[in-house]
Amino acid sequence: MKKGLFITFEGTDGCGKSTQLGLAAKYLEEKKIDIIKTRDPGGTALGCKIREILLNYDGNVAPYCELFLYLADRAQHIEEKILPALEDGKYVLCDRYVDSTMAYQGYARGLGAEQILKLNNIVSKSLMPELTFIFDVSTEIAAQRVGDKKDRLESEAEDFHRKVKEGYLELAEKFPQRIVVIDANRSIEEVHKDVARHLETILR
Ligand SMILES: Nc1ncnc2c1ncn2[C@@H]1O[C@H](COP(=O)(O)OP(=O)(O)O)[C@@H](O)[C@H]1O
Ligand SMILES: [Mg+2]
């Protein structure tokens, strides 16, 4: 039985997910909450190998191959790490999850978000986050923050990134009960304050 809480951090590259996940973790630890930090893809040893292919393979990757590699990583991640932590009563803070797959592979690659959600439910035993932060940032600011260190997906054309951003906002409209959109064009501290305010409401 699941007793912990599953919180995910979403948004385009450079929106500040990893930065904000770290600050949220500190905030919860100060409140004596038992947490784990993890990432998708690459939250397990096997997942790291899959992540390496997904981010760095330099040949053509068929869209469904990409999708099923993400789902394969997730199946392992859920079973090996996320569910045991939740059953242990921990808060699981995860850098990306199904909303990334729906935004990138569903909207931007055109595979369809609903079909992806169905497939995700199979590999995840229908595990969905209780709370999801989407950090919404302009493409210009995100590009400045990412700089030149781009991986395979970050190197996609501008149009792809615009579709991803729009996909995320559509998801936020579809799932308003769990998704909070945060204006991530502001300073790290201002964004964190918003995150902390939402965390506080679920702690009460
Ligand atoms: N609100 C912010 N304002 C300015 N710089 C930021 C902000 N958030 C993150 N950064 C910086 O931008 C870069 C990308 O942030 P990161 O948290 O790694 O983004 P992501 O994990 O979403 O790709 C890092 O160098 C980070 O320090
Ligand atoms: Mg990151």
Side-chain angles (χ1 to χ4, degrees), residues 51-62:
R51 181 187 173 93
E52 171 64 23
I53 300 172
L54 280 165
L55 301 188
N56 299 324
Y57 182 71
D58 62 1
N60 172 59
V61 182

Side-chain angles (χ1 to χ4, degrees), residues 15-16 19-20 23-24 27 133-136 141 145 180-199:
C15 70
T19 305
Q20 294 299 330
L23 292 173
Y27 174 87
F133 294 106
I134 290 179
F135 298 99
D136 187 44
I141 292 184
R145 288 185 196 161
V180 175
V181 179
I182 306 253
D183 174 5
N185 296 300
R186 300 168 297 159
S187 72
I188 291 175
E189 294 70 29
E190 282 173 299
V191 175
H192 172 63
K193 260 191 206 156
D194 259 11
V195 170
R197 196 163 47 78
H198 284 285
L199 291 174

Side-chain angles (χ1 to χ4, degrees), residues 46-171:
L46 175 55
C48 283
K49 296 193 178 226
I50 299 175
R51 181 187 173 93
E52 171 64 23
I53 300 172
L54 280 165
L55 301 188
N56 299 324
Y57 182 71
D58 62 1
N60 172 59
V61 182
Y64 275 108
C65 175
E66 182 179 271
L67 172 64
F68 282 98
L69 285 171
Y70 278 110
L71 294 176
D73 165 80
R74 194 161 298 146
Q76 186 73 22
H77 193 194
I78 295 271
E79 178 159 323
E80 184 180 323
K81 196 165 174 185
I82 298 180
L83 278 180
L86 291 172
E87 278 159 16
D88 235 16
K90 293 187 173 128
Y91 279 35
V92 174
L93 309 189
C94 191
D95 198 325
R96 295 192 182 279
Y97 185 65
V98 68
D99 297 303
S100 285
T101 324
M102 289 196 281
Y104 284 76
Q105 283 69 43
Y107 288 99
R109 296 245 192 263
L111 302 185
E114 282 183 12
Q115 171 173 247
I116 287 178
L117 190 55
K118 280 188 201 145
L119 292 169
N120 195 75
N121 281 337
I122 297 172
V123 304
S124 73
K125 302 174 186 168
S126 297
L127 178 71
M128 287 297 278
E130 273 83 15
L131 175 64
T132 296
F133 294 106
I134 290 179
F135 298 99
D136 187 44
V137 72
S138 77
T139 37
E140 295 77 23
I141 292 184
Q144 278 169 22
R145 288 185 196 161
V146 172
D148 301 327
K149 308 164 293 185
K150 291 186 178 166
D151 63 39
R152 190 177 64 84
L153 284 134
E154 286 163 345
S155 305
E156 285 282 349
E158 208 178 292
D159 184 52
F160 180 81
H161 292 291
R162 189 184 43 75
K163 282 189 194 152
V164 171
K165 181 179 153 68
E166 287 170 6
Y168 270 127
L169 296 178
E170 225 169 282
L171 289 169

